[in-house]
Amino acid sequence: MPQSMRTFIGVPLVPGIRDKLVALQQQLAETSGSVKWVEPENLHVTMLFLGEVDAREVLTVCRTVEGVVGALEPFAMRVAGIGCFPNPRRPRTIWAGIEEGSRELIELHTALEQPLMEKGCYRREERAFTPHITLGRVKGESDTRALAEALKLQADWFAGQMTVKEIHVLSSELMKEGPVYTVLSRARLVQAED
């Protein structure tokens, strides 16, 4: 077992929403070859990126997440709209937005932060948490005008709605082909039934 694991907490997506995100990635890819697109199986909403976590602390992280999430009720999440960080003139990260459910995700993020900081498993980020799904990252200093225009045309894009029923703790192993995510634990929201 490795000494430490790149670890993060994320919301998994239902297949229908993931399929629409992949179709959008393919459409945007026609405008720019300079984007490294997130692999379909890796699309998710990142709640907290913990970085390198000592392997002995992973169980503590999983139990902490289960304790926080187990006290919350499932909620609706609507995936709609696309944009980029830091701004449309210089897109670096392409994302899909969260409309409904954004407030609940921010509250969940806040609820997870404090106990994980107290256990020494997380350092608060300087920028505010903005719920989104990363679709891709622009490589290098390439011309992104066509991509920026395509993003503007897709401003009203809609992927669908789902119910958030569980949160995953995942590890990320960096490989040549791209990162490989492994689910370390699934924390179900209270009364979450299939």
Side-chain angles (χ1 to χ4, degrees), residues 26 49 54 59 71-72 76 88 90 95 110 122 125 130 154 164 169 175 185-186:
Q26 292 167 346
F49 179 72
D54 187 299
L59 184 59
L72 303 173
R90 255 193 92 175
W95 51 260
T110 302
Y122 177 71
E125 292 187 33
T130 305
Q154 293 286 348
V164 175
V169 177
M175 310 292 264
S185 76
R186 292 175 164 82

Side-chain angles (χ1 to χ4, degrees), residues 124-177:
R124 180 174 278 138
E125 292 187 33
E126 288 182 26
R127 64 179 184 254
F129 172 66
T130 305
H132 66 280
I133 300 162
T134 299
L135 299 176
R137 292 179 177 81
V138 176
K139 300 179 283 190
E141 293 297 319
S142 48
D143 183 0
T144 55
R145 285 177 292 195
L147 176 61
E149 191 58 35
L151 291 172
K152 215 185 311 180
L153 293 171
Q154 293 286 348
D156 295 331
W157 176 84
F158 173 66
Q161 186 166 312
M162 60 174 273
T163 301
V164 175
K165 297 179 180 178
E166 64 180 26
I167 308 298
H168 292 176
V169 177
L170 302 107
S171 67
S172 171
E173 188 178 354
L174 300 177
M175 310 292 264
K176 242 188 316 194
E177 314 77 43

Side-chain angles (χ1 to χ4, degrees), residues 111-124:
L112 288 166
E113 255 189 342
Q114 195 59 42
L116 288 169
M117 285 192 309
E118 287 170 6
K119 290 180 172 50
C121 302
Y122 177 71
R123 258 189 2 258
R124 180 174 278 138

